Amino acid sequence: QVPLIESGGGLVQAGGSLRLSCTASERTFIINIMAWFRQAPGKEREFVAGHDWNAGITEYTDFLKGRFSISRDGAWNTMYLQMNSLQPEDTATYYCAAVRSISLSRTADHYTYWGQGTQVTVSS
C-alpha cells in the first residue's frame, strides 16, 4: 500500500463541525475511487462516503442523514470530508481509502490504499 496523508481530526462539541482531508501521493494517481471509513473501539469498520470520478458517482451511508459531504480536488489529489452537526455517536477513527476499480464499493476489503486514520472525538 502507498500511504495516504490525513488531517483534520480533533475534539469538538456536539453540534460542531470538522473537515477532514486526505491527500494521495503521486503513485496513487492511477486510482479512480476514494472513500472514507470510520471505526469506533470494539466495532466494525464502516463505510462513510465514497466518490468515483470516472463514473461521476458519490455515495453516502444512511446513518449520515445529510450531515456529511465529500469533495475532491483533482488537481492535487485531495479528498475532503465535511462533517456537520456532529454527535457523540460519530466518535471514531476516520480512515481515507483509495482504489482503482470498475465500481464504487462499500466494503473495506476492496480498497488498496489506506491512511493511518485520524481521531474524531465528539463530546456531549
Side-chain angles (χ1 to χ4, degrees):
Q1 293 182 344
V2 177
L4 305 175
I5 303 174
E6 302 170 334
S7 63
L11 174 64
V12 298
Q13 290 184 275
S17 299
L18 283 175
R19 191 180 195 185
L20 308 183
S21 64
C22 173
T23 301
S25 70
E26 294 181 5
R27 295 181 181 180
T28 62
F29 284 175
I30 61 173
I31 64 175
N32 63 294
I33 296 173
M34 296 184 72
W36 288 93
F37 290 79
R38 71 183 188 183
Q39 186 169 21
K43 297 183 179 180
E44 298 293 323
R45 187 169 299 187
E46 61 182 353
F47 175 83
V48 175
H51 178 67
D52 180 345
W53 54 89
N54 284 350
I57 296 174
T58 302
E59 295 185 1
Y60 300 90
T61 192
D62 290 340
F63 70 78
L64 296 175
K65 299 181 180 179
R67 297 182 297 115
F68 291 8
S69 64
I70 59 171
S71 60
R72 182 177 182 270
D73 183 346
W76 300 104
N77 205 29
T78 299
M79 174 72 76
Y80 301 97
L81 177 65
Q82 179 67 46
M83 305 185 293
N84 299 321
S85 301
L86 285 164
Q87 300 299 127
E89 298 76 44
D90 297 315
T91 296
T93 301
Y94 285 71
Y95 298 90
C96 178
V99 70
R100 178 174 177 81
S101 178
I102 61 173
S103 62
L104 200 165
S105 175
R106 301 190 179 203
T107 303
D109 289 345
H110 288 257
Y111 289 83
T112 302
Y113 305 102
W114 290 88
Q116 294 299 307
T118 183
Q119 179 65 39
V120 173
T121 302
V122 184
S123 62
S124 300

